[in-house]
Amino acid sequence: MVDKKYVYSFKEGSKDMKEILGGKGANLSEMTNIGMPVPPGFTISTEACDNFYKDGKRLNEVVKNQISVKLKELETDMNKRFGDSNDPLLVSVRSGAAVSMPGMMDTVLNLGLNDESVQGLIQKTGNERFVYDSYRRFIQMFGDVVMNVKHELFEEILQRVKDGKGVKVDTELEIEDLKRIVSMYKEVIQAKTGRLFPNNVHEQLEMAINAVFSSWNNNRAIVYRRMNNIHGLIGTAVNVQSMVYGNMGNDSGTGVCFTRNPSTGENKFYGEFLMNAQGEDVVAGIRTPKKIEDLGEIMPEVYNQLLKIRNDLELHYKDMQDVEFTIQQGRLFILQTRNGKRTAHAAVRNAVEMVNESLITKEEAIVRVEADSLDQLLHKQLDEVHKKDSKVVARGLPASPGAAVGKVVFNAEDAKVLAGKGEKCILVRIETSPEDIEGMDAADGILTARGGMTSHAAVVARGMGKCCVAGCSDLSINENAKSFDASGMQFREGDIISLDGSSGEVFVGELRLVSPTLSGDFETLMQWADNLRKLKVRTNADTPKDAKMAISFGAEGIGLCRTEHMFFEESRIKAVREMILSDNVEGRKNALNKILPMQRGDFRMLFEVMDGRPVTIRFLDPPLHEFLPREEREIEELSRDMGVSVEKIKSKIEELHEFNPMLGHRGCRLAVTYPEIAEMQSRAVFEACCECIGNGKNIVPEVMIPLVGNTKEFEHQKEIVDRVAKEVKEEKGINFEYKVGTMIEVPRGAVTADKIANSAEFFSFGTNDLTQMGCGFSRDDSGKFLKEYVDLGIFKRDPFQALDQEGIGELMKIAVSKGKSVRKDLKLGICGEHGGEPSSIEFCHDIGLDYVSCSPFRVPIARLAAAQASVKAKKKKEEKAYKEIVKNSVEEIKGKYGSSISMEDLEKELSSKISPDVLRRVRG
Amino acid sequence: MVDKKYVYSFKEGSKDMKEILGGKGANLSEMTNIGMPVPPGFTISTEACDNFYKDGKRLNEVVKNQISVKLKELETDMNKRFGDSNDPLLVSVRSGAAVSMPGMMDTVLNLGLNDESVQGLIQKTGNERFVYDSYRRFIQMFGDVVMNVKHELFEEILQRVKDGKGVKVDTELEIEDLKRIVSMYKEVIQAKTGRLFPNNVHEQLEMAINAVFSSWNNNRAIVYRRMNNIHGLIGTAVNVQSMVYGNMGNDSGTGVCFTRNPSTGENKFYGEFLMNAQGEDVVAGIRTPKKIEDLGEIMPEVYNQLLKIRNDLELHYKDMQDVEFTIQQGRLFILQTRNGKRTAHAAVRNAVEMVNESLITKEEAIVRVEADSLDQLLHKQLDEVHKKDSKVVARGLPASPGAAVGKVVFNAEDAKVLAGKGEKCILVRIETSPEDIEGMDAADGILTARGGMTSHAAVVARGMGKCCVAGCSDLSINENAKSFDASGMQFREGDIISLDGSSGEVFVGELRLVSPTLSGDFETLMQWADNLRKLKVRTNADTPKDAKMAISFGAEGIGLCRTEHMFFEESRIKAVREMILSDNVEGRKNALNKILPMQRGDFRMLFEVMDGRPVTIRFLDPPLHEFLPREEREIEELSRDMGVSVEKIKSKIEELHEFNPMLGHRGCRLAVTYPEIAEMQSRAVFEACCECIGNGKNIVPEVMIPLVGNTKEFEHQKEIVDRVAKEVKEEKGINFEYKVGTMIEVPRGAVTADKIANSAEFFSFGTNDLTQMGCGFSRDDSGKFLKEYVDLGIFKRDPFQALDQEGIGELMKIAVSKGKSVRKDLKLGICGEHGGEPSSIEFCHDIGLDYVSCSPFRVPIARLAAAQASVKAKKKKEEKAYKEIVKNSVEEIKGKYGSSISMEDLEKELSSKISPDVLRRVRG
C-alpha cells in the first residue's frame, strides 16, 4: 500500500487545499503555480500535525521520509545543498493553519547554518558580516523558539557586547563582535539546556518542525482560537521555504503591502518597506519604513513588477491582498499573500467597488463584509489614537457597542438630574433593575459591576443603542458613598470617565469621540442585501423613539414590544402597585383603569410611527414582585402614597417572593390568574388601533401571549383577547384585523407546538428563556460556570450570545415542524437576543423562519446576515446539485467503460463532460 | 333524516353503553335484559345533556318528543297513566353519569303526584296516609331540588306541625296533619319563588329533568370531578323509572346489600334493610336497619330470591356488586346495581378469591385493585372510629401516607433528643431543609406549614415511609417560641397531636393507631403481578435501612441513591464545609479525603444489603450553598470550628447565592468545575465495590451523572470515572464491571439524547427536574398558580404528582427514540417521584422503559401498576387486532354481496363469522 501523502512541494498544491496545507502553504502553492516569484519550498500538512500529536508529539518515519525526499528535490531545484560548506541551502520554517492566527505560533529563519555552512555562505556571498549576523540571528531564534531558552538571555549578551564596544545599534558591530556573540549564544544554550546547539542541519530541521507543531497547542494559541471561535481544525501545517535576504546590501530590501487601503478601502496601492533589512526589522520599529510609492524612485523596475503582481493577485484572488515581499540583490520575491484584514469601512467600500469593477458578484460582495463589524459604522467610537495614550482602569464585558464619555453618577435619579442640565453622564451601578430604566435612558453610557452579556443592563442598553460595559468585576462600588475603586484609584460622583462598549474598556478622563458616518457604499450594500435576503428584519422596540430609529436602520416592523417597560414610568408604577396591593378583582380593575389610557396612548404613538408595518405586542411578562420597591425608604414612601400600612406592603413583598423567579408566577401565568390584566391590555391595543384607523392608518396589531407552555394557557388568553376585540369593535363601530400568537420560550411549548398552532396564528421564538429553560441554567447564575464550559469546549460559544444550534436549535426545529404540520401558513419569528447575531440568523434562515427581530442598532447587521444566510444556502444547494451531476457522470462513464477504468482515464473522461470550475467546487 | 336517538327504554340498552346511558342507566338496562325484577323505565342519554348545555340549558324539541314517546310506552307497559286520577303512574327521576359520583347530583322521587293523582293513588292503594305522606315528601324534594327553596324551610314547617301536635316522629302524624303540611309546603314555595307548585305532571317531569341536567354543573359536582380526576365526560344521563314503594305496610321494605363484605372482602352476603320504609330512611339513620340475614326470617321467599339475584349478578358482572332493592307488598324489585366500593383489604381478597373461584382471570384480578390503594395496607392508619369522634384542627396536603401520634417538637435537635428517650414525637416546621434530615428520621411524623406534594419534607418523608402532612397553611407557627396556633387553639412543645398522612388531617390528642397486616392474598396478588409485568421495579434509597425495607417490599435494585444525603450527617458536614471554604484544589482534596472513607463505607454497606442487585449511584447534585449554614449562630460556630473568619464565611455564602438556584451551579456542573469531587466519589464507589467483591459479593455499580444537558458534560465526567476505575483496579488488583449513565432531566438532554447515548450506557429520567425545566415552573413557586391551572383544566392533574404525558412525556418519548437510535440496548429507567405513581408507570411501560424506581413504600404499588400497564397494553393490542379482523370481514362480505348490502344483512353475515364477544369488545 502507498503511504498517505503528508508533504507537498509548492508546485503540488493550490489555494483550495487550505485544510491540508494551511492558509500560507496553500497560497504559496497557488502563487507558485500562477508564476509569481515565490522562493521554492514545500509544506508539511496539517494531517502530519494531527499524527504528531497522536504519536505522542513526535514525527513518524513516514513523514520524516517524505520530508527527506522533498528536501532533496528542493536541493536539486535550487542547485544548493543543505549544510553545504560551499553554497548551502538555507530555509525558513513557518507555521500556517487553515485559519490565520497571526503571531500565535512559531517561526525559525536562516535554518541550515552551522559552523561549516557559514563558510560556504561567506564564500558564496562574499559578505562575512551579513553571514555572521544571520548566524547570530538564527541561533538566537532557534534557541528561543526550539530550545526554550529565554530570549532575554540573548538580548543581554547582545547588549553586553554593544556596551563593551560603546555602540548603540547592531549595525555598528564588527564581524569579530558577531563571532563572539555566536559563541556566547552557544554557551548560554548549553548552560541552560545541558545540550549543545545542534550543528547537524537535518537535526536542526527536525527540531524546528517539532517546535512548530508543538506551538499549535501552546497556551496563547489555545486562547486565541477560543477567543476567535476557531474550532474543528486538526493542527497547523509547516512551510519549509528556501531563504531569500532583504539585508544583502542596498539593492536588497523587504516590505508589506496591501492591494488597496485597508483602513479607508480606497483602491490605491498601499504599503511600506525598508531597504537592506529583514522582515523583523519592519515590525520592530527601530527604523521608520518608507511608503511603497517611494520604491518607484529607488527601484523603478522592481516597483513596476510589484504593481503588476498587485493587479495579478487581485484579479486572481478577487479580494484585497496583504502581501509580503523581499528584494534580494535587485530580485523581487513574494513570500506570502493572504486576504487583507480591513476596517468595516474598508470592507464595505471594497465590496461595493469590486462589484462595480466586475471583479466579484453582488452575492460575493455580501458575504465579504462581516455582519457584526457593521456595529463600528453605527455607533460613536473612541478615537483609536487617543485610546492608545490613555489609561485603562478596568475591563468588563463589551455588553453594548459604541462609546461614551461623561460624569460618573450612581443612581437613576442623579442621571436624570444631570441629563436635565444638559450634561453627559455615565450611570455606574452594581447591577441595574427595571426601576433604573429612565436613568439608563438619561445616561450616555452604563457601567455595571455584575451581570453578563444578557443581564438587564446589557439587554436594555443594546435595545437603546447605548454604550454599556457590564460585569466589570474590577470595580468595587459603594453606591451609598457614591464612589468606586478601580486599579487603586478612587472615583467619585462627577469624575469623568470614558467607556468603550465594543471592547469593554473603562478609561480615566475624557477621551475624544469619533462620530459614525454612513457612506453611500453602505446604502448600496444594504440594498443588495435586502434584494438577496428571504428573512424579514423587525426590531425589538418599546418606544416611538426606538421605533423611529429602527425604521431609519431599515426595520420592517416591530417583532417585540415589551409592554411592561411602559409600566415602570414614574406616573404609572403607582397604579401598577395599587393593582398589586389590591385584595380583590374590583380593586385591581380600578387600578388597571388608570393605566388603560396611558397604555392606549403608548400604543397609538407606536402604531403611528410604524405606519402600517406589523407591530407585535407582548403582554405583561415579569413577575409582579419586580414592580414593588425593595428599599425601606421606598416602602415607606409607597405606604404614605397609597395609604396602605408598611406591614401590608412588606407582607405582600414576602408573599410574592419566589425561590426561582425565572420559573415562577410570570408571563401568561399572571394573566391566567388575573385575567383583568389581559383584558386591560387587549383594550388598550384595540382602542389605540381604532384611533389610528380613524386617522386613516392601516394597523393590524399582533398580540403575543408570553411564556405559553400549554395550549390551554394560550386558548384561555386568546378567548379574552377575542372577546375584548369584539367588544371594542362594537363600541367603536370600527372594524379591524388582528392576529393572536405566542412566544415559544418554554420547552414544553416547543414540543407541543402542534397543539398550540391549532389556535395560535404566529410563533415568535423567545430564545433567551428557551435557552435558560432548555439548558437548565439561568443567565444570572450561569456566569459561575459558563466561561469554563466554553473553555472546555462543552459549548462552542456562550449560548446566550450565539444560539446553541445543537440543543436549543433542536427544540426550535421540533417546534417549527410540529407547528407547520397543523398550520401551513404559521408565521414564524425570533425575538430573543439571538435575533441580531449573525450565526443565529443563518440558523433561523435555514430552519425556515419568516423574520428575525433585534434591537434597533442591530437591524443593519441582521439585514446583512440574513442576506449572507440566503447566499450561503443557495451555494450549499448548488453544491449539492453539482455533486449529483458529477456522481451521475461518474456512473455513466463507469457504465460505458466498466468499473475497472483507471482513475486517470476516469478523470480525463470526466473533464471532457464537466467544467473544471464545477469540479473544483465539488472537490474543494 | 332520522333524528339521533336520545332516549332509551331499559329494554334497549346494555351495560356496555355507560358512556351514553351513564352507569346507573346501563346497569338498569342490563339487569332488565337478564331478567332481573327491575321497575320499568327509560334513560335520557348523556348526549341529551350535552345538547342541553349547548342549547343554553334547555331541552330541545327532538329530545322532548322522544321523552313523550317513551313515557307513553311506559304507561302502556305499566298499564297506568301519568297524572291519572284513577291509577296514576309515578316515577323517580335520577341522575347517573358514566362514572359514579354518589350524592353529587339531584334526584326527585314520587314524581307524578298532584291534587288529582293523589285521589287516584288513594283509590288504588286504599292507603290515604301513605299517599299524603308520599305527596308531602314529593313536594318537599321537588321544592328543594327543582325549585331551589331551602329544605330548612320545609323542615321548619314539619317541626312546627309536630310540635303543635306534641308528637316526636313523622309516623305519629295523622292524615289531616299531612294535608295541612302539603298546603303549607305549597304556600312557602309560592312565597319564595313567586310561582305556584306545578300541578301539571308533564311540567313536573320536564322541570325535574332540567334540574338533574343542571346539577351536572353544580359546584359540588365540579369539585368532585376535579378531586377524583374525572375528565372527558359530556354530561349525566337521567333515569326515569316507575316508582315502587317500600313504605306500603309491613310487607314492604327497602335495603342495600353487597354481594361480598366490602370491608373485609369475605365472600358472604352483606347488607341491611328496613321494613315499611323508603330508601332515604335507611340513609337518614333515624331507625336502625336490620342485618340482611334477618330478612330470611321475615320473608324467606323474598330472601331466597335475593340470594339467587346475588349469585346471578356476581356471575353476570364478575365483580362484587352493590345492590339497592325495594320490596313492595311482598314483591322484590332491584333498583340499582353497581360494582361495590371496597377497602384495599377487601379489594385484594376479592380479586384473589374470584380467581380461585374461576370467576375472573389473573389479569382481570390485577386490574381490579387500585394500585394507589395498597398504601393503606403498608402504613399504620388512624382508627376510623376514633377519627370520627376527634377534632380536626387543621388540614394540609396528604404528603406521605400513614399515621403518627406524638409530642410536638419544633426542631430537628429536639426531635433527636426526645426520640433518644424513646418518646414518639412529631416534627413541626414552617418548612424543612436538608439539615433537618436526622430530626425527620427521629420523628414519627412531620408537619409543615409550607411546601407542596413535592416539597423537601414530602419527598424525604415518602422516601422514609414516614407520615407527613405538608403545606398546612392553617397553622401559624412560631418556631422560636416553640408554639403553633390552629383553629383558635395554641399548641406548645410536648402537646400531643395525631397526623393522618393519607388525608392530610391534623387531630388534637392521641388517637388509636391500627397496624398494617399483610395477608397471604396480598402476597398471591403480588406474585401474579410480578409474573405479568415487564417493567422492573427499583427503589430510591440512600441508606441500608431504606434499602432493606424496599427489598422486603420487592424492590429489584436501587434506581437512585442520592449521595448528597450522606453529606449532611453531622460528622461529615464539617468536611464538606471545609471543602467549600477552601480556596484551592489542594484544600478541597484534603477535605474530600476526609469524606472518602465515610462515603466508601456507606456504599459498601449499601452494596452488601443489595447483594448483587443493581445499585445506581447518583453523584453530588445540590448547589453548594445548601451545605452552608444560614443562621448567625451556626455561622459563628462554623467560624470557630474551622478557624475561618465569620466575614469569609459570609462572603462565601454571598458568593454562592443564586437568583435561581434550580437553574444554577449544581448537578454535574459542580463536578465539571471541581473534578476532584467526581474523583472522590468514583473512588469511594469502586473501592467499596472491591471490598465487596473481596468478600465474595457480585457487585456491578451504576454511576449516574446528574443534570447532563450536553453530551460533552457527560464525556467530561465519564473520563474521570473511567480513569479512577482503572486506577482502583490496578491498585487493588481486583477486576470489576460497572456502568456509567446519566439522568435525563434537562430538556436539552432529552432532545440531544442521540448524542449522549453515544457514550452513556443508561438513562434514568429525572422527571421532577424535567417537569420543572420543561414546563418552566419550579415546584417551590408554582403553588401560587398550579392549583388554579388544575381547576381551569390547563393541566389535568398537578404535573409534579402525575406525569404530564402530553408535554414532559413528549420530551421522554423524544429521548427514548433518539437514545435507542444510536444504542439499541440502552437501559432506560425513571427515578423521579413519578416512578411510584400508577398513571405515570403505565406511561413508562408504554414508551418502553426497562424499570421504574420509587420510594420503598411505593414499591408494591409500582409492582401492581406495572402489571396493570402490561395487561392494559395487551388488551389494547388485542383490540387493535380484533378491529382489524372485523374490518377485514366487513370488506370480505362487501366484496361478496356488493357494498349496497343492507346494514341488517351485513350484521347477520358478520355474526356468522365473528364471535359476539369479539364484536362486543370492538364496539364497546
Side-chain angles (χ1 to χ4, degrees), chain B residues 472-505:
Chain B
C472 188
S473 52
D474 295 349
L475 304 186
S476 160
I477 303 181
N478 186 334
E479 289 183 351
N480 291 328
K482 298 195 176 178
S483 73
F484 71 82
D485 293 342
S487 293
M489 298 168 70
Q490 188 172 66
F491 294 79
R492 314 199 129 267
E493 189 178 40
D495 289 349
I496 293 183
I497 60 171
S498 301
L499 300 185
D500 186 334
S502 309
S503 70
E505 289 159 316

Side-chain angles (χ1 to χ4, degrees), chain B residues 652-863:
Chain B
K652 193 77 192 183
I653 293 172
E654 166 79 2
E655 183 193 320
L656 291 177
H657 169 264
E658 297 185 309
F659 295 99
N660 294 283
M662 195 57 62
L663 303 177
H665 196 186
R666 53 178 284 246
C668 68
R669 295 165 197 165
L670 283 175
V672 170
T673 316
Y674 307 115
E676 52 277 9
I677 298 178
E679 271 169 34
M680 183 281 285
Q681 294 203 292
S682 301
R683 182 161 284 274
V685 169
F686 296 129
E687 288 184 353
C689 179
C690 285
E691 288 179 11
C692 289
I693 289 175
N695 294 332
K697 303 254 177 188
N698 175 31
I699 303 293
V700 181
E702 300 177 354
V703 172
M704 182 155 76
I705 310 300
L707 215 72
V708 167
N710 187 318
T711 187
K712 298 214 178 88
E713 287 173 307
F714 180 77
E715 288 158 18
H716 180 274
Q717 294 286 293
K718 185 169 190 291
E719 190 276 323
I720 294 172
V721 177
D722 288 343
R723 176 163 48 74
V724 174
K726 201 169 155 234
E727 283 167 18
V728 173
K729 280 180 189 174
E730 281 164 13
E731 285 162 23
K732 306 286 175 192
I734 292 180
N735 204 15
F736 52 84
E737 286 173 52
Y738 64 96
K739 289 196 164 81
V740 192
T742 180
M743 306 265 292
I744 296 289
E745 52 187 336
V746 175
R748 193 189 188 283
V751 299
T752 60
D754 45 346
K755 309 268 186 313
I756 298 172
N758 272 321
S759 37
E761 291 164 289
F762 64 87
F763 285 173
S764 178
F765 287 97
T767 47
N768 294 356
D769 268 347
L770 196 60
T771 301
Q772 297 196 88
M773 295 176 192
C775 292
F777 39 69
S778 91
R779 56 188 184 191
D780 295 319
D781 301 309
S782 57
K784 288 188 181 108
F785 54 88
L786 210 47
K787 202 185 147 300
E788 192 167 2
Y789 265 45
V790 175
D791 290 356
L792 289 170
I794 292 175
F795 283 96
K796 281 185 187 167
R797 293 178 62 187
D798 180 337
F800 292 116
Q801 283 174 39
L803 187 74
D804 157 34
Q805 300 181 13
E806 177 183 277
I808 304 310
E810 181 65 24
L811 279 169
M812 291 172 73
K813 281 189 203 164
I814 291 171
V816 168
S817 125
K818 291 199 165 195
K820 291 235 170 183
S821 76
V822 300
R823 189 186 286 264
K824 280 218 172 61
D825 64 345
L826 184 71
K827 258 237 168 359
L828 296 166
I830 179 174
C831 62
E833 284 285 308
H834 304 100
E837 192 281 323
S839 72
S840 313
I841 293 170
E842 185 178 345
F843 181 80
C844 291
H845 173 98
D846 290 346
I847 65 169
L849 300 201
D850 297 299
Y851 68 87
V852 298
S853 187
C854 56
S855 56
F857 272 87
R858 293 198 79 84
V859 166
I861 296 172
R863 287 161 70 196

Side-chain angles (χ1 to χ4, degrees), chain B residues 67-301:
Chain B
I67 292 171
S68 291
V69 170
K70 289 294 163 190
L71 189 63
K72 288 231 172 63
E73 281 180 27
L74 185 60
E75 287 176 329
T76 308
D77 216 18
M78 298 294 291
N79 197 21
K80 296 177 185 219
R81 275 191 45 242
F82 201 43
D84 194 2
S85 54
N86 286 311
D87 183 8
L89 171 69
L90 300 187
V91 296
S92 63
V93 179
R94 289 179 216 250
S95 64
V99 176
S100 169
M101 295 167 55
M104 291 303 125
M105 291 180 296
D106 292 333
T107 292
V108 181
L109 302 177
N110 297 318
L111 190 138
L113 283 176
N114 60 11
D115 295 344
E116 289 81 49
S117 63
V118 157
Q119 298 314 320
L121 195 60
I122 293 170
Q123 204 172 308
K124 180 73 188 172
T125 62
N127 187 339
E128 193 175 2
R129 198 193 172 287
F130 156 73
V131 173
Y132 273 102
D133 188 45
S134 300
Y135 197 24
R136 188 274 297 172
R137 286 171 191 259
F138 168 55
I139 297 172
Q140 179 167 350
M141 206 176 233
F142 193 92
D144 170 12
V145 165
V146 181
M147 300 186 77
N148 294 314
V149 177
K150 283 190 182 152
H151 72 98
E152 291 90 345
L153 296 173
F154 299 109
E155 299 292 345
E156 268 170 31
I157 289 167
L158 187 61
Q159 196 59 45
R160 224 182 310 143
V161 173
K162 283 197 279 186
D163 290 349
K165 291 277 289 184
V167 303
K168 288 249 158 122
V169 292
D170 300 4
T171 44
E172 292 175 286
L173 291 173
E174 290 171 54
I175 294 173
E176 286 315 307
D177 302 327
L178 293 170
K179 285 185 179 170
R180 258 183 59 219
I181 291 171
V182 163
S183 62
M184 285 164 82
Y185 275 7
K186 287 185 178 171
E187 278 161 23
V188 78
I189 286 175
Q190 190 175 5
K192 288 290 160 188
T193 67
R195 289 180 63 182
L196 286 173
F197 173 79
N199 208 45
N200 180 321
V201 292
H202 293 279
E203 195 184 339
Q204 287 175 4
L205 181 62
E206 190 178 328
M207 284 173 77
I209 292 168
N210 283 348
V212 173
F213 278 158
S214 295
S215 69
W216 170 252
N217 273 341
N218 71 28
N219 198 44
R220 64 170 189 252
I222 292 173
V223 170
Y224 184 90
R225 287 198 291 273
R226 190 175 73 226
M227 283 180 53
N228 290 277
N229 296 313
I230 301 172
H231 298 284
L233 301 186
I234 56 174
T236 182
V238 174
N239 298 291
V240 178
Q241 187 173 27
S242 47
M243 285 293 297
V244 289
Y245 292 94
N247 57 346
M248 284 182 83
N250 289 331
D251 56 351
S252 300
T254 189
V256 175
C257 57
F258 291 83
T259 56
R260 305 189 184 209
N261 187 315
S263 176
T264 65
E266 191 185 4
N267 186 1
K268 201 179 148 198
F269 197 34
Y270 179 95
E272 47 190 28
F273 70 99
L274 273 176
M275 295 308 287
N276 198 13
Q278 278 198 309
E280 54 193 289
D281 300 322
V282 182
V283 180
I286 299 167
R287 291 159 59 194
T288 307
K290 293 189 170 160
K291 284 190 183 164
I292 198 75
E293 297 93 305
D294 298 343
L295 186 63
E297 287 161 31
I298 300 170
M299 302 181 94
E301 270 180 43

Side-chain angles (χ1 to χ4, degrees), chain A residues 431 450 654-665 669 672-673 710 712-713 716 746-748 751-752 755 773-778 780-781 784-785 788-789 792-795 804 806-807 810-811 814 818, chain B residues 431 450 654-665 669 672-673 710 712-713 716 746-748 751-752 755 773-778 780-781 784-785 788-789 792-795 804 806-807 810-811 814 818:
Chain A
E431 55 197 326
R450 290 208 202 127
E654 166 80 1
E655 184 193 319
L656 291 178
H657 169 263
E658 296 185 308
F659 295 98
N660 294 283
M662 194 57 60
L663 303 177
H665 197 185
R669 296 165 196 164
V672 170
T673 316
N710 187 318
K712 298 214 179 88
E713 286 173 307
H716 179 275
V746 176
R748 194 189 187 284
V751 299
T752 60
K755 310 267 187 314
M773 295 177 193
C775 292
F777 39 69
S778 91
D780 295 319
D781 301 311
K784 288 191 180 102
F785 53 89
E788 193 166 0
Y789 266 43
L792 289 170
I794 292 174
F795 283 96
D804 157 35
E806 177 183 274
E810 181 66 23
L811 278 169
I814 291 171
K818 290 199 167 198
Chain B
E431 56 196 325
R450 290 207 202 128
E654 166 79 2
E655 183 193 320
L656 291 177
H657 169 264
E658 297 185 309
F659 295 99
N660 294 283
M662 195 57 62
L663 303 177
H665 196 186
R669 295 165 197 165
V672 170
T673 316
N710 187 318
K712 298 214 178 88
E713 287 173 307
H716 180 274
V746 175
R748 193 189 188 283
V751 299
T752 60
K755 309 268 186 313
M773 295 176 192
C775 292
F777 39 69
S778 91
D780 295 319
D781 301 309
K784 288 188 181 108
F785 54 88
E788 192 167 2
Y789 265 45
L792 289 170
I794 292 175
F795 283 96
D804 157 34
E806 177 183 277
E810 181 65 24
L811 279 169
I814 291 171
K818 291 199 165 195

